[in-house]
Amino acid sequence: MTDKIQHSSSFRDPSGYVFTEGNILKRQISPLYFKQYKALKESGFYQKLIKAGLLISHKEITEDNTGVVIQPEFIPFVTYPYEWSFNQYKEAALLTLKLQKFCLDHDFSLKDATAFNVTFHKGKAIFIDTLSFDFYQDNSPWRAYKQFISHFFGPLVLAHYHGAQSLKLMHSFIDGIPIKILSSMLPGKTKLSPFLYSNIHLLSKYEDKHSEDYKGEVKSGTLSKAAQKKIIKSLYGYIKRLTLKEASEWGDYYNKTNYTSDAFLQKEKIVIAWVKENKAKTLIDVGGNDGTFVRKIDVRLEQALVCDIDNNAVDNNYREVKRSKEGYMTPFVQDVLNPSASIGFNNDERFSFRERLQEFSPDITLALAVIHHISLSGNVPFNKSAEFFAAFSNYLIIEFPKREDSWVQRLLNAKSEFKGHFDFYNQENFEKAFMHYFTLERKEVIANSHRIMYLLKSKNAK
């Protein structure tokens, strides 16, 4: 008999919880939710959402008077809101509004609107909380409206005015960015916008006014279904029109490389050959920009994660994923010098980047043109970088730009009088540090460049 282990992130909803059994993720539905579950199932509501690609699919495993167990479709790698690019975040917000509109059309309502109920799977946003639906009550306002503002609308408006880095605030505010903080961070001119005033600034004032209602004397308002649909339609339209007004350093990376055409082609051939040689089915490209190199790999990959620090590069990648319907690729924002940490209650509601990668266990990790940034921009010694990659990599394809490389020289010169402190940056020290964790499988110099490609195998590889 396999052990039933409750997932550390699943304890807030009395309707049920997620657990693992024999490494398979399942969901327990408690008797408290039986009435809703039966109505959602028998009305065909679940199947309509699943068929429309809005809700993760599931199959029912067992049912008795103590609970129902369902098994959701497996998602290889879950990304969190603070790891989404601007347009991914927009898609997640619009998905949530679509769901609420669909709910109202069928006399249901979303009881919560946390951004953590959405992730990206098979190239698009998908809702993953099967128990977030409740019965609609006549003339009741959407009880998750404020949560939607703090998890979706507010962060997107902040990003519109202050840049995509604003979205990372969700890492600090797991329950949504407080409305008062949203209001204070927006430019004063936004108070002149009737829509922003009513949905953020006025909401902040209302929150202040009733923050000390300890006796619960404030009466809940009423709102017709038609009026609620009108609000949802307005939010949908406003979010759909939101844009990001910022350039970035690496959004057009491949127009800034210091490679000759022949050198770039050789690098491409090396990567493809080594991936094929190892019959990789899963990989992660760390610092993968817009996914260019992953797309050049002409083998069938089951799952490819492509992360980059640059929002615009990830957005470009995601647009191509959508355009070409590349369901195997998952782009997301990640800073390897400050990767997502474990957060939430007991520090294990949301898992760290490293923990999720260890669980994902990619066949191959690509680290192309990234080690010099880690070492010289981030001041990270080679042994620490090697430890990082070894934590989740079975095989590692890593590109090392030598000290003579123009990009390396640019980074060294930026150190000014401290340039001498970085004498450690050389090929010998790189190899010595990485060989502590890896064994050398292949090594190839890229002609007409100062760059070397390495195929390394982890000493702990499966």
Side-chain angles (χ1 to χ4, degrees):
M1 186 174 180
T2 55
D3 291 331
K4 183 176 179 180
I5 304 170
Q6 185 167 340
H7 197 282
S8 60
S9 70
S10 184
F11 59 87
R12 294 178 182 256
D13 188 354
S15 300
Y17 60 90
V18 173
F19 67 94
T20 56
E21 191 172 40
N23 293 322
I24 297 173
L25 194 74
K26 298 178 182 179
R27 186 184 291 273
Q28 174 85 19
I29 301 171
S30 71
L32 179 69
Y33 197 72
F34 277 3
K35 189 176 180 181
Q36 289 91 331
Y37 175 72
K38 183 178 179 181
L40 290 160
K41 182 176 73 169
E42 295 182 354
S43 67
F45 183 83
Y46 275 147
Q47 283 308 311
K48 287 175 184 176
L49 289 183
I50 291 167
K51 188 176 180 180
L54 303 177
L55 175 68
I56 196 70
S57 65
H58 67 264
K59 59 183 179 181
E60 192 173 295
I61 304 298
T62 61
E63 180 182 8
D64 57 35
N65 59 3
T66 65
V68 176
V69 174
I70 61 173
Q71 183 180 324
E73 180 184 343
F74 174 65
I75 299 176
F77 188 85
V78 172
T79 57
Y80 298 137
Y82 41 82
E83 298 169 334
W84 300 338
S85 68
F86 180 75
N87 281 297
Q88 285 180 305
Y89 214 108
K90 275 181 63 173
E91 183 177 329
L94 296 176
L95 167 67
T96 305
L97 291 173
K98 282 180 190 175
L99 282 170
Q100 178 60 5
K101 167 65 166 55
F102 194 85
C103 283
L104 292 175
D105 289 340
H106 293 79
D107 286 327
F108 293 106
S109 182
L110 280 175
K111 64 183 182 182
D112 54 53
T114 166
F116 292 98
N117 279 346
V118 181
T119 195
F120 284 79
H121 179 50
K122 294 183 178 178
K124 63 181 182 180
I126 191 81
F127 198 80
I128 58 175
D129 188 356
T130 317
L131 310 188
S132 276
F133 308 95
D134 206 345
F135 296 115
Y136 169 74
Q137 296 181 4
D138 287 340
N139 295 315
S140 293
W142 184 22
R143 73 185 196 192
Y145 161 75
K146 180 184 165 186
Q147 191 176 40
F148 181 84
I149 299 299
S150 64
H151 277 252
F152 286 111
F153 184 67
L156 282 166
V157 173
L158 275 186
H160 171 73
Y161 284 102
H162 299 303
Q165 291 289 339
S166 305
L167 300 175
K168 292 186 178 181
L169 284 170
M170 286 295 292
H171 189 275
S172 298
F173 297 104
I174 195 171
D175 291 321
I177 304 174
I179 308 296
K180 192 170 184 177
I181 290 178
L182 289 171
S183 177
S184 68
M185 291 182 69
L186 288 176
K189 64 182 180 180
T190 59
K191 293 180 180 179
L192 301 177
S193 162
F195 195 77
L196 292 180
Y197 183 79
S198 60
N199 285 287
I200 294 181
H201 298 296
L202 187 61
L203 192 60
S204 174
K205 287 185 177 181
Y206 181 86
E207 212 174 45
D208 278 347
K209 183 178 178 182
H210 300 293
S211 61
E212 296 187 4
D213 179 34
Y214 302 118
K215 297 181 181 180
E217 295 173 343
V218 177
K219 295 181 180 179
S220 298
T222 60
L223 189 71
S224 69
K225 184 184 286 189
Q228 189 177 148
K229 285 184 178 181
K230 187 175 180 181
I231 292 171
I232 290 168
K233 183 179 180 181
S234 298
L235 283 166
Y236 191 97
Y238 193 96
I239 290 172
K240 195 169 184 179
R241 292 190 298 272
L242 278 175
T243 57
L244 198 63
K245 301 176 181 178
E246 65 177 0
S248 65
E249 184 177 3
W250 305 111
D252 60 346
Y253 171 78
Y254 291 104
N255 292 323
K256 299 177 181 179
T257 59
N258 60 353
Y259 289 99
T260 64
S261 298
D262 289 343
F264 192 84
L265 184 61
Q266 184 188 357
K267 173 180 170 179
E268 178 185 315
K269 288 180 177 178
I270 291 170
V271 171
I272 293 171
W274 289 350
V275 170
K276 284 184 174 180
E277 179 182 314
N278 288 281
K279 299 179 181 179
K281 295 296 183 184
T282 60
L283 64 78
I284 180 169
D285 190 350
V286 177
N289 200 262
D290 62 5
T292 291
F293 262 90
V294 173
R295 288 189 175 87
K296 291 180 181 294
I297 299 171
D298 57 346
V299 297
R300 186 174 179 82
L301 295 169
E302 293 175 1
Q303 185 69 44
L305 310 179
V306 182
C307 64
D308 200 275
I309 191 175
D310 190 281
N311 173 86
N312 289 356
V314 176
D315 255 348
N316 290 339
N317 191 5
Y318 189 61
R319 274 193 289 269
E320 184 58 26
V321 165
K322 299 286 286 184
R323 189 187 71 81
S324 301
K325 297 180 180 179
E326 297 168 327
Y328 73 98
M329 193 181 300
T330 303
F332 59 104
V333 177
Q334 192 66 240
D335 179 2
V336 294
L337 291 175
N338 184 27
S340 302
S342 301
I343 59 171
F345 185 73
N346 213 26
N347 287 120
D348 62 3
E349 275 191 83
R350 309 293 173 231
F351 297 137
S352 71
F353 175 56
R354 177 167 159 165
E355 287 172 313
R356 283 172 286 149
L357 274 185
Q358 287 172 325
E359 180 70 22
F360 179 68
S361 187
D363 295 331
I364 281 186
T365 298
L366 303 183
L368 310 176
V370 71
I371 190 64
H372 54 307
H373 292 292
I374 295 175
S375 305
L376 301 177
S377 297
N379 296 3
V380 178
F382 287 138
N383 65 307
K384 298 297 288 183
S385 298
E387 180 186 7
F388 168 74
F389 286 113
F392 56 84
S393 306
N394 287 304
Y395 284 87
L396 172 65
I397 298 176
I398 188 166
E399 175 184 9
F400 181 74
K402 294 193 288 187
R403 200 172 180 87
E404 298 82 3
D405 182 87
S406 61
W407 278 98
V408 173
Q409 284 297 310
R410 176 173 172 261
L411 292 173
L412 285 170
N413 290 334
K415 300 296 183 182
S416 190
E417 68 269 25
F418 297 103
K419 183 176 179 179
H421 291 261
F422 294 86
D423 289 342
F424 76 87
Y425 188 92
N426 58 56
Q427 184 182 345
E428 180 183 357
N429 288 336
F430 167 79
E431 291 182 358
K432 182 179 179 181
F434 273 75
M435 293 317 126
H436 183 73
Y437 296 92
F438 296 90
T439 57
L440 178 62
E441 299 286 300
R442 299 280 190 279
K443 176 180 175 181
E444 193 165 339
V445 175
I446 300 176
N448 302 313
S449 79
H450 295 289
R451 300 197 173 201
I452 307 172
M453 299 293 293
Y454 294 84
L455 173 62
L456 307 177
K457 181 181 180 180
S458 170
K459 290 182 178 179
N460 296 317
K462 295 179 180 178

